Amino acid sequence: MKPMSTDRAGLRRGGSARKEAIFHTTPDSDGHHGLAHWHILFAVLAATLVAYARTLSFDFVYDDFSQLVTNPAIHSWKYLPEYFTKNVWAEVFPGVQGNYYRPVFLLWCRINDALFGNQTGMWHLTTVLVHLVVTALVYFLVLRLVRDRLTAGMASLIFGLHPAHIEAVAWVSGVTEPLLGVFFLSAFLCYLGWREDAGKARMWLALALFLYAMGMLEKETAVVLPLLIAAHAWLYEKTCADGRRETFYSRARNALRAAAPYLLLTVVYLIARIAALKGFSHDFAPIPWAWVFYTLPSLLWFWVKHLIAPVGLGSNYNLRTVDHPGLMNFVLPVAALAGVAAAMGWFAKRSRHVAFACLWMLLPLLPLLDIRILAPDDVAHDRYLYLPLVGFSILVALAIRRIGRAADKAATALQPVQILVAVVLATALGIGTWTQSFYFENNWIFYRYNYFLAPSNPYAVNNYGALLARLGMLDEALQVLKRGHEENPGYWSLAYNLGRDYYMAHKPELAAPYLLKAIQIDPTKADAFYCLGLAQRDSGHPQEAEAALRQALRLKPNGQQYHYQLALALRDQGKLKEALEEFRKEEVGSLTYLRSRQQIKSIEGQLHGKS
């Protein structure tokens, strides 16, 4: 496949060159600005490294423990083939459907585990290093697009230091975003090589397709790359090779031709994904489409605010699914988004660089618009802004380079002012990143901070309450969970943890109603039946306990201590032979195996005495 002709001189249709000049940068005579190429990039990477240096002393937090520390899939190479045939959580939650097909991410985790084990500092270091690689790629991307070192330096500096990256860089499990960035930007740069280097077009195309495949296998968002390539071909391919102006149909044909190899590879990926996940995706939140429509304005406005003013950041927010649109949760966000869209459209008409940057902001968010595939009431996360921030950083850099351009001064005379503005902005962003990343230091700070940041978020409430219970602070845990359950009566984990904690507090009669509520919300989870059985047995209701424990075993045949507890319920009813059978099913090495052996001897003695 031959690369398309490239118009490096800019737009050639009437009036377009003048409009493009609004956002065009003026290079020095050699085609570049005076500051040394590598000096700019080194300064950007050094500043970014400093901003994230404190994370090297952080622990594992939140999903790190289940996804990295206790996940058998990343502790042995024997699981490598399963990375490509199962969802990313398959070994953590066996039998549970998932929406994440990420074999390359699992491979990354396996390599880190093989090299560093549980040395948290090294895991954080590799995460930060990946972010530095992406920051460098942003520099080269912008340099290829606008042919201006200062603009490239400013854009990469803003990208590297923006606090919205905290969740993706300070959290080890958030490395999915920087890893995606490496493959995504590298693939796009290779596509640019295919366009501009006809002599090595096949090599560039093969490399771009390989990197694109790796990106899709790392995270699903990579599938927007063909759309971005088509948009680039449309915007930047303004003239034919002989200088004639492109028609609408020829531009559309060129855009489709540029994206075609990537679209074909996407089909192959989708086949593999569907086979591994037993379907394209699964709805975690079976909510009406109307609710999705009502929620999207608030969600999109949330992301816009965090791009522009990245303060008060966390991992949980109070943004909830909107089932009844009103002034604050629908009308005002729609109005605000309309204003932003109008401004972006106005500027995009005057510069292809602005238009392309706007598309780079928007396209990576497309897969997230179907919020049903995400956990309910947990769709607002800053890590989803990782790729969109490339486009946002380009826009801000272009705006800074316009400062003072209306004045009758040479471009070189304006550089000190523009650099000063960029340094001030970068300093503010770097300080924001340094100061706001603290909550990833350890689990106690993480859960406590997110609870006080978003007290209405059921995930923040449940996680903090569960942590308090694990630390033995049952009274505090019950207060937090009870308040959370009253505000979120349909949330399974709050009902279950509340019932379990009442049982742990030796109040089985108070535990049972909440466990029954959890079963009513989701009757497919064995843990609620198991805990209900314990509570009913301790309350003096062995028959009810037997029924609950048998259901728990039906749902989870290999549940730890399930047979033992069922045997106790049977023993309490005088069903000694049935109890004996259940005690014998307790596996060797389990926590209750020795006690089961003792019970077996006791029951056999009783049965022998009766005989």
Side-chain angles (χ1 to χ4, degrees):
M1 187 174 183
K2 295 181 180 180
M4 296 175 293
S5 61
T6 305
D7 175 22
R8 299 186 182 182
L11 303 179
R12 296 185 182 177
R13 38 192 185 112
S16 297
R18 180 183 59 81
K19 292 178 180 178
E20 184 74 15
I22 295 176
F23 290 91
H24 184 64
T25 55
T26 305
D28 293 336
S29 58
D30 64 348
H32 298 293
H33 283 282
L35 290 180
H37 182 59
W38 294 107
H39 289 178
I40 296 175
L41 183 57
F42 177 81
V44 169
L45 297 181
T48 304
L49 179 60
V50 169
Y52 285 101
R54 68 181 302 184
T55 68
L56 303 184
S57 64
F58 289 0
D59 294 334
F60 289 134
V61 299
Y62 192 34
D63 282 349
D64 290 343
F65 289 95
S66 56
Q67 190 160 236
L68 307 177
V69 179
T70 62
N71 185 0
I74 71 162
H75 296 318
S76 173
W77 288 108
K78 71 177 183 179
Y79 291 98
L80 180 60
E82 296 183 11
Y83 295 174
F84 297 87
T85 60
K86 295 182 179 180
N87 75 79
V88 75
W89 291 98
E91 296 301 326
V92 181
F93 303 113
V96 177
Q97 291 180 328
N99 283 335
Y100 304 139
Y101 177 57
R102 300 173 178 176
V104 171
F105 167 68
L106 288 173
L107 179 60
W108 167 264
C109 294
R110 175 67 197 114
I111 293 172
N112 274 267
D113 180 77
L115 293 175
F116 312 123
N118 288 335
Q119 298 180 51
T120 56
M122 297 304 297
W123 283 81
H124 280 288
L125 176 61
T126 56
T127 303
V128 172
L129 290 177
V130 175
H131 178 58
L132 293 179
V133 172
V134 180
T135 302
L137 291 172
V138 171
Y139 176 85
F140 292 118
L141 169 69
V142 181
L143 189 62
R144 294 285 289 274
L145 290 175
V146 303
R147 311 288 177 175
D148 178 69
R149 289 177 179 174
L150 281 183
T151 306
M154 291 174 185
S156 58
L157 187 63
I158 293 165
F159 176 86
L161 295 176
H162 201 289
H165 289 325
I166 288 173
E167 190 178 34
V169 183
W171 180 35
V172 171
S173 290
V175 74
T176 51
E177 306 300 330
L179 277 177
L180 171 62
V182 170
F183 295 119
F184 195 91
L185 270 77
S186 297
F188 190 83
L189 285 169
C190 289
Y191 152 74
L192 293 179
W194 170 79
R195 280 175 55 93
E196 300 173 4
D197 188 355
K200 298 180 180 179
R202 291 184 178 180
M203 181 199 73
W204 286 119
L205 179 60
L207 189 55
L209 290 172
F210 170 76
L211 291 166
Y212 175 49
M214 294 290 286
M216 289 188 292
L217 294 175
E218 200 284 321
K219 193 181 179 189
E220 303 80 6
T221 311
V223 296
V224 304
L225 181 64
L227 299 178
L228 200 61
I229 287 175
H232 181 272
W234 176 278
L235 290 169
Y236 287 82
E237 197 67 23
K238 300 290 186 175
T239 61
C240 297
D242 59 3
R244 290 182 295 107
R245 204 176 93 187
E246 289 276 8
T247 65
F248 174 87
Y249 296 105
S250 60
R251 289 174 66 188
R253 183 178 64 251
N254 286 338
L256 180 60
R257 187 176 65 164
Y262 306 89
L263 292 172
L264 291 175
L265 188 59
T266 304
V267 173
V268 177
Y269 160 76
L270 292 177
I271 293 172
R273 173 186 173 86
I274 291 171
L277 301 184
K278 306 299 186 292
F280 177 74
S281 65
H282 309 283
D283 291 349
F284 283 169
I287 61 177
W289 276 105
W291 292 14
V292 176
F293 174 75
Y294 298 150
T295 304
L296 286 181
S298 295
L299 179 60
L300 292 171
W301 181 238
F302 163 86
W303 281 326
V304 170
K305 290 188 296 183
H306 282 220
L307 283 172
I308 299 172
V311 295
L313 305 182
S315 288
N316 298 115
Y317 296 98
N318 285 329
L319 192 148
R320 308 295 299 273
T321 302
V322 179
D323 52 359
H324 291 88
L327 178 65
M328 299 300 295
N329 64 5
F330 186 78
V331 176
L332 291 182
V334 167
L337 290 172
V340 172
M344 290 171 61
W346 190 87
F347 287 110
K349 287 182 179 179
R350 286 154 176 79
S351 169
R352 58 182 175 176
H353 298 325
V354 171
F356 185 65
C358 289
L359 288 172
W360 196 300
M361 277 200 303
L362 296 174
L363 291 178
L365 295 176
L366 287 180
L368 300 167
L369 298 186
D370 181 8
I371 61 175
R372 299 175 307 162
I373 65 173
L374 303 173
D377 296 320
D378 192 41
V379 298
H381 286 288
D382 297 310
R383 64 179 181 269
Y384 300 147
L385 292 174
Y386 195 85
L387 275 183
L389 257 161
V390 175
F392 179 78
S393 300
I394 295 173
L395 289 178
V396 175
L398 290 172
I400 293 174
R401 294 290 281 134
R402 282 296 309 154
I403 293 176
R405 290 294 295 278
D408 186 18
K409 294 182 179 180
T412 53
L414 298 171
Q415 287 182 11
V417 175
Q418 295 168 354
I419 293 173
L420 177 62
V421 172
V423 169
V424 171
L425 176 59
T427 301
L429 293 174
I431 292 173
T433 293
W434 176 276
T435 57
Q436 293 184 86
S437 61
F438 73 94
Y439 67 94
F440 279 105
E441 184 172 351
N442 56 55
N443 257 352
W444 170 252
I445 298 175
F446 179 85
Y447 288 126
R448 184 177 176 83
Y449 171 77
N450 280 293
Y451 171 69
F452 285 103
L453 179 69
S456 297
N457 184 289
Y459 293 88
V461 176
N462 180 71
N463 291 335
Y464 183 53
L467 177 65
L468 291 172
R470 288 198 298 271
L471 296 175
M473 304 167 67
L474 284 178
D475 290 340
E476 294 87 342
L478 288 169
Q479 291 178 10
V480 169
L481 293 171
K482 190 171 184 179
R483 184 164 55 249
H485 177 67
E486 290 171 354
E487 296 179 359
N488 305 274
Y491 188 60
W492 181 87
S493 293
L494 284 170
Y496 168 72
N497 284 330
L498 194 53
R500 184 199 60 188
D501 290 353
Y502 268 121
Y503 174 76
M504 293 173 61
H506 307 292
K507 299 177 181 179
E509 68 285 352
L510 296 178
Y514 292 107
L515 294 168
L516 287 169
K517 176 65 175 179
I519 290 171
Q520 180 183 358
I521 296 170
D522 188 349
T524 66
K525 295 188 176 181
D527 290 350
F529 283 100
Y530 174 73
C531 197
L532 176 63
L534 299 184
Q536 289 174 329
R537 178 175 171 270
D538 286 3
S539 298
H541 304 289
Q543 289 182 330
E544 291 85 346
E546 177 190 350
L549 290 166
R550 287 192 183 279
Q551 180 60 20
L553 271 168
R554 278 191 285 270
L555 294 171
K556 193 176 181 179
N558 297 322
Q560 191 176 27
Q561 301 187 34
Y562 282 25
H563 288 289
Y564 178 80
Q565 295 297 341
L566 175 58
L568 292 180
L570 292 168
R571 185 202 63 183
D572 292 348
Q573 298 176 70
K575 301 178 179 180
L576 298 183
K577 290 185 179 180
E578 293 180 53
L580 185 62
E581 182 180 350
E582 293 299 326
F583 279 127
R584 286 172 175 164
K585 292 179 181 178
E586 198 68 15
E587 294 183 359
V588 176
S590 68
L591 296 175
T592 54
Y593 177 75
L594 293 178
R595 282 182 283 174
S596 294
R597 297 294 96 188
Q598 294 171 353
Q599 291 289 341
I600 289 171
K601 289 182 180 179
S602 175
I603 292 175
E604 287 178 339
Q606 293 180 53
L607 293 174
H608 181 72
K610 288 181 180 180
S611 63

